[in-house]
Amino acid sequence: MVKNTILIAALFLGTAFSYAQQYGGMWIPTEINEKEMKDLGMKISAKQIFDTQKPSIKDAVVQFNGGCTAEIISPKGLLLTNHHCGYGQIQAHSTVEKDYLSQGFWAKNMGEELPNPGVTVDFIVDIKEVTAQVLAGTQGLSDAEAKDLIKKNLEATQKAIATESYQKVIIKPMYYGNKYYAYVIETFKDIRLVGAPPQSIGKFGSDTDNWVWPRHTGDFSMFRIYADKNNKPAEYSKDNIPFTPKYYLPVSIKDKKENDFTFVYGFPGRTTEYLPSIAIDKIMTETDPARIAVREVALKTLDEKMRTDAATRIKYASKYASVANYWKKWIGEVEGLKKSNAVEKKRAYESQLSLKNPEIKKTLSEMYRLYNEQAPYALNNAYYGELVRNAETLSLANRFLNYMNAAEQGKLDDKSINAFKAQLSNFYKDYSGELDAQVTAKLLALYAQKTPKNFLPESYKEGFGDETKNLKVIEEWSKNSFITGRAGLNNANVTTNINKVFENKNLLMETLAKDPFMLLMAELRKAYVSNADTKFNALQQEIDVLQKKYMAQLMETDKDRKFFPDANSTLRVTYGQVKGSEPRDAVRYNYQTHVAGIMEKYIPGDYEFDVPKKLIDLYNAKDYGIYKDKTGDVPVGFTATNHTTGGNSGSPALDAYGNLIGLNFDRQWEGTMSDINYDPKLCRNIMVDTKYILFIIDKFANSKWLIDEMKIVK
């Protein structure tokens, strides 16, 4: 027993830094780790970061269009966010004649700024902890009873918080429901496009460089908030005026040094930092590898065709990038979890806490049992989900099944039918039935090989495991299938004349009912729901209850640890230092890239690595103005140890004094496991340098009028 205790202590002490949260954490702005931030070099106070009584940095940070972050950088409501966050708006304004994606867009004055119906920005006016109100009366109740009472308490608490007519209140659970916080939000709805570089700058490196360092992407775009004459939120109107913010960020063009303090302010999406070791092990060894395997087959099949056919490359470019995005992320996540010894560290931590609190050991024992029981269902969930997502013809069949079910239940009206037709139209424009027949055939074979027979439909158990046979069968099905668009209906084709094929609804339903892909998908779905999904979800509900209990026990037992809640798309602060990295043996990355690196990657005419002529001219002339650093070149990107995730796209990176020094847009591949296990040795966030942003605005776009709005710190 003594030996075991010593071994556990040694393991824990050897990895204790991981749980001190040094450099890590996504902190609620009202509860930031101010002492550690100042120890690392911060020169401002917590009040300057978040204050409801006077202007503070939080008044310059907004959630952009529900998914990204943006920041105000002028007294006239000028917004900065990522190019990929504004991509949809840039695309919406683009035409063949005015291709803003390829050419960029720069308004010459406010009158040329372009409106974007539906786009919003949210300000956080206040944050209040409301745990006592939400959990009032729940002690001693069953889980079901407590859930019902919490729902009532949430509604009552929300109504009790005083707001203006243009504000709303959202209450979010933290620490798996052990705490609750209310957010008072103001939403502005008149958001206009001001400027964006061409995608040869804003998406430079595209798929190849995604999640990768060194990086040379100028991932930024600019918008402006407009308000009514009283500076309040309003729908778009030509009479609206530029919004006057309570606070805007000064923009620094000072040189950066390794180990400089930095912090990032934004709306991170989702993390799971407090999972037990058994859950991390299942992700690392089972579910992530399953998802990777499916996408690998799909990507390889698409790539073979895209490399030999330009039309296919164009048609599938966006889709391929989407599939590759998380494929690449999951590979990095698995490697990072292994390299950081995440499971071993977590087990040592669990053992150490179990010695302090035996109740933790009981909770963990039950969680281990549930995760092991859930494992085969979780694995099938991973394979099935990826099959239906990446075999597009099956995904299409799944949509048509939903349509048929809604029709049979009398739930279809003109609005829902038109919406479905619009979805189909959007789907078919980038779909090849012939190419996807190959993807579907190969993925069906993989699914048959990797799935236990008791999870498969009866008709599937003896078939589809042979890839060569599948390719012949699925191609024959595809040629004669209505939903692939390779066979017509009502003298029309669904890929080119959707309205006509929907004219005869009875014929449509009869045709769908006989389509081989519809029959197969119906069987696959039925088998998945009855054999895996129901059991998976039931066990997950039990796990969720225990996770809440486990979280409470962690906070009660580990008094030396400062806890932060997992990300959930609420406003957070994370902090760290400007740093390079050593992700592998004999590999050392500097913390900063420069324009010279763009030219090293330049491939004329390439869709990922082409460079605009004007940027080449500026480089050749070394016409860098005030934006060069001590090397004589313009810095493009830099890395730091800030703990970020999806949703932090567009977040401001700030220096020790609260000045804007960069724009967050990605993470380094070797550290993408930070959503589960943050390790400051491996995890790096990637930011566009403000010097490069201002250089492009000023020298490339000739938009100095925008620079003149800002407060530049030299």
Side-chain angles (χ1 to χ4, degrees):
M1 179 65 190
V2 173
K3 287 182 179 179
N4 287 341
T5 303
I6 292 171
L7 176 61
I8 290 166
L11 279 168
F12 179 69
L13 289 171
T15 59
F17 75 89
S18 297
Y19 299 103
Q21 301 310 322
Q22 189 176 22
Y23 310 113
M26 297 178 176
W27 304 89
I28 299 173
T30 52
E31 301 175 2
I32 62 173
N33 195 351
E34 185 175 12
K35 181 183 182 304
E36 187 170 81
M37 293 174 79
K38 288 193 170 180
D39 288 345
L40 288 171
M42 184 173 76
K43 304 300 182 185
I44 59 176
S45 69
K47 276 286 188 184
Q48 288 171 278
I49 293 172
F50 188 97
D51 195 335
T52 59
Q53 303 305 311
K54 60 177 71 171
S56 60
I57 293 173
K58 67 100 173 164
D59 297 310
V61 181
V62 298
Q63 188 168 41
F64 182 83
N65 211 24
C68 286
T69 303
E71 54 275 359
I72 302 175
I73 55 171
S74 90
K76 298 177 181 178
L78 190 62
L79 272 185
L80 184 66
T81 190
N82 286 149
H83 186 275
H84 75 259
C85 294
Y87 191 86
Q89 287 68 54
I90 304 165
Q91 185 178 43
H93 289 295
S94 295
T95 63
V96 175
E97 294 77 22
K98 296 180 179 179
D99 185 356
Y100 297 141
L101 285 175
S102 298
Q103 299 162 8
F105 168 78
W106 299 96
K108 294 183 177 62
N109 52 60
M110 291 180 185
E112 292 187 3
E113 294 172 358
L114 302 176
N116 301 279
V119 174
T120 60
V121 300
D122 291 337
F123 286 86
I124 304 301
V125 178
D126 200 1
I127 302 173
K128 304 173 186 287
E129 186 183 349
V130 292
T131 306
Q133 299 93 308
V134 174
L135 297 183
T138 59
Q139 293 78 6
L141 297 182
S142 68
D143 293 331
E145 290 170 335
K147 187 176 180 181
D148 289 340
L149 183 55
I150 287 171
K151 184 178 179 182
K152 292 176 183 176
N153 289 346
L154 280 169
E155 292 173 359
T157 304
Q158 204 168 15
K159 290 177 182 176
I161 297 173
T163 59
E164 302 292 342
S165 59
Y166 48 83
Q167 295 175 337
K168 63 183 178 183
V169 176
I170 293 176
I171 299 177
K172 290 273 196 173
M174 304 287 181
Y175 303 106
Y176 295 93
N178 284 291
K179 289 187 177 184
Y180 286 83
Y181 289 76
Y183 293 79
V184 180
I185 298 170
E186 281 183 13
T187 301
F188 284 75
K189 300 178 180 180
D190 187 353
I191 314 300
R192 304 184 194 179
L193 178 63
V194 176
Q199 57 188 4
S200 52
I201 291 174
K203 284 186 69 178
F204 183 79
S206 195
D207 308 328
T208 299
D209 276 2
N210 191 27
W211 301 108
V212 167
W213 183 259
R215 197 68 167 275
H216 299 84
T217 313
D219 194 350
F220 77 95
S221 59
M222 306 180 80
F223 292 78
R224 193 185 304 278
I225 306 171
Y226 280 75
D228 67 15
K229 62 181 180 181
N230 298 312
N231 207 41
K232 301 301 181 189
E235 298 288 345
Y236 168 78
S237 168
K238 60 181 177 59
D239 298 323
N240 285 345
I241 58 175
F243 171 68
T244 302
K246 294 178 184 176
Y247 189 86
Y248 63 94
L249 299 178
V251 182
S252 172
I253 55 171
K254 291 184 177 181
D255 283 3
K256 296 166 189 62
K257 303 186 301 296
E258 189 143 27
N259 297 318
D260 279 352
F261 174 79
T262 176
F263 68 104
V264 169
Y265 214 157
F267 294 83
R270 184 175 182 269
T271 58
T272 51
E273 298 286 334
Y274 302 105
L275 291 175
S277 58
I278 183 71
I280 299 173
D281 187 55
K282 298 296 183 190
I283 291 168
M284 184 177 73
T285 62
E286 297 180 15
T287 55
D288 268 6
R291 293 185 173 102
I292 291 165
V294 175
R295 294 199 179 201
E296 203 153 89
V297 171
L299 288 167
K300 184 179 179 183
T301 308
L302 294 177
D303 184 62
E304 288 170 356
K305 182 67 174 177
M306 291 169 72
R307 284 182 181 276
T308 59
D309 185 77
T312 300
R313 179 176 58 79
I314 294 167
K315 180 180 279 193
Y316 272 81
S318 177
K319 222 166 355 187
Y320 185 93
S322 177
V323 175
N325 186 36
Y326 265 78
W327 168 74
K328 202 170 186 178
K329 191 260 188 187
W330 289 324
I331 294 172
E333 185 170 86
V334 169
E335 291 303 313
L337 289 171
K338 290 177 180 177
K339 194 173 183 66
S340 64
N341 297 315
V343 174
E344 292 79 4
K345 287 178 185 177
K346 190 75 80 166
R347 282 178 184 155
Y349 180 64
E350 291 166 357
S351 297
Q352 192 263 351
L353 290 185
S354 294
L355 292 174
K356 289 184 177 182
N357 182 355
E359 291 301 311
I360 287 180
K361 186 174 183 179
K362 293 179 184 177
T363 302
L364 284 168
S365 177
E366 184 62 10
M367 292 180 87
Y368 272 54
R369 182 188 69 79
L370 288 169
Y371 271 109
N372 282 323
E373 188 178 339
Q374 188 195 45
Y377 309 116
L379 189 59
N380 189 225
N381 170 277
Y383 274 118
Y384 175 84
E386 289 298 310
L387 169 70
V388 175
R389 186 203 187 282
N390 294 286
E392 287 190 291
T393 305
L394 294 182
S395 175
L396 190 56
N398 206 31
R399 298 185 196 197
F400 273 112
L401 279 175
N402 293 336
Y403 172 83
M404 291 178 72
N405 290 338
E408 288 167 3
Q409 295 168 21
K411 293 181 179 179
L412 289 179
D413 55 22
D414 288 344
K415 183 178 179 181
S416 59
I417 292 172
N418 287 334
F420 181 59
K421 288 194 288 186
Q423 288 177 13
L424 290 177
S425 181
N426 189 56
F427 177 91
Y428 281 121
K429 69 180 175 63
D430 293 325
Y431 167 79
S432 164
E434 185 177 359
L435 174 56
D436 191 66
Q438 296 178 47
V439 176
T440 298
K442 293 177 182 180
L443 293 187
L444 284 170
L446 181 67
Y447 189 65
Q449 294 159 12
K450 297 292 185 180
T451 304
K453 287 193 174 183
N454 59 306
F455 286 108
L456 296 172
E458 285 298 322
S459 63
Y460 199 101
K461 290 180 180 178
E462 303 305 324
F464 295 108
D466 184 331
E467 185 180 297
T468 304
K469 181 181 175 183
N470 278 6
L471 287 166
K472 295 177 182 177
V473 172
I474 298 304
E475 169 59 18
E476 192 62 28
W477 284 11
S478 180
K479 282 195 299 186
N480 296 292
S481 168
F482 157 70
I483 69 168
T484 65
R486 299 174 76 183
L489 173 70
N490 200 22
N491 296 316
N493 186 292
V494 69
T495 62
T496 56
N497 197 339
I498 288 175
N499 288 329
K500 188 164 179 59
V501 300
F502 272 79
E503 283 178 0
N504 190 331
K505 293 178 183 177
N506 290 334
L507 181 59
L508 174 61
M509 295 293 278
E510 289 172 13
T511 305
L512 289 172
K514 293 184 290 186
D515 192 290
F517 289 111
M518 296 291 295
L519 294 170
L520 175 60
M521 188 62 233
E523 284 195 79
L524 285 169
R525 188 158 89 172
K526 182 180 178 182
Y528 169 69
V529 170
S530 60
N531 297 331
D533 189 58
T534 302
K535 295 181 179 68
F536 172 82
N537 289 323
L539 288 164
Q540 189 61 49
Q541 287 179 5
E542 292 186 62
I543 289 170
D544 290 345
V545 170
L546 281 176
Q547 182 68 46
K548 178 181 177 181
K549 182 179 180 180
Y550 177 57
M551 188 77 245
Q553 290 172 334
L554 287 182
M555 292 191 290
E556 290 165 6
T557 306
D558 193 350
K559 300 298 184 183
D560 297 326
R561 180 177 180 180
K562 278 183 72 72
F563 288 88
F564 62 92
D566 273 320
N568 60 356
S569 296
T570 55
L571 185 62
R572 303 295 181 90
V573 174
T574 183
Y575 56 89
Q577 292 175 305
V578 174
K579 275 189 185 293
S581 58
E582 297 180 10
R584 293 181 297 283
D585 183 43
V587 175
R588 162 71 185 170
Y589 290 139
N590 196 353
Y591 66 89
Q592 194 143 50
T593 57
H594 291 83
V595 169
I598 296 174
M599 300 312 301
E600 290 171 2
K601 291 181 176 179
Y602 171 43
I603 303 174
D606 185 78
Y607 82 101
E608 293 184 306
F609 294 104
D610 199 9
V611 177
K613 182 180 183 304
K614 185 166 184 181
L615 185 55
I616 295 171
D617 291 343
L618 288 167
Y619 169 76
N620 288 333
K622 300 296 183 281
D623 184 6
Y624 299 149
I626 61 172
Y627 307 112
K628 62 187 176 184
D629 64 12
K630 63 184 179 183
T631 70
D633 200 350
V634 179
V636 175
F638 66 102
T639 58
T641 60
N642 299 302
H643 187 180
T644 61
T645 189
N648 276 124
S649 290
S651 291
L654 304 148
D655 67 11
Y657 299 92
N659 300 313
L660 184 69
I661 58 171
L663 187 62
N664 188 78
F665 72 98
D666 205 356
R667 283 176 287 168
Q668 197 166 306
W669 180 80
E670 294 88 351
T672 54
M673 82 294 186
S674 61
D675 290 347
I676 299 169
N677 177 60
Y678 176 83
D679 186 333
K681 290 197 297 184
L682 294 173
C683 297
R684 297 290 180 271
N685 68 308
I686 302 175
M687 296 149 283
V688 194
D689 199 299
T690 46
K691 285 193 175 190
Y692 186 58
I693 293 171
L694 297 189
F695 167 71
I696 293 298
I697 295 169
D698 185 354
K699 293 288 187 175
F700 179 86
N702 296 321
S703 293
K704 196 170 185 304
W705 74 282
L706 295 173
I707 306 284
D708 293 340
E709 280 190 35
M710 307 174 200
K711 179 181 178 182
I712 307 299
V713 178
K714 300 179 182 178

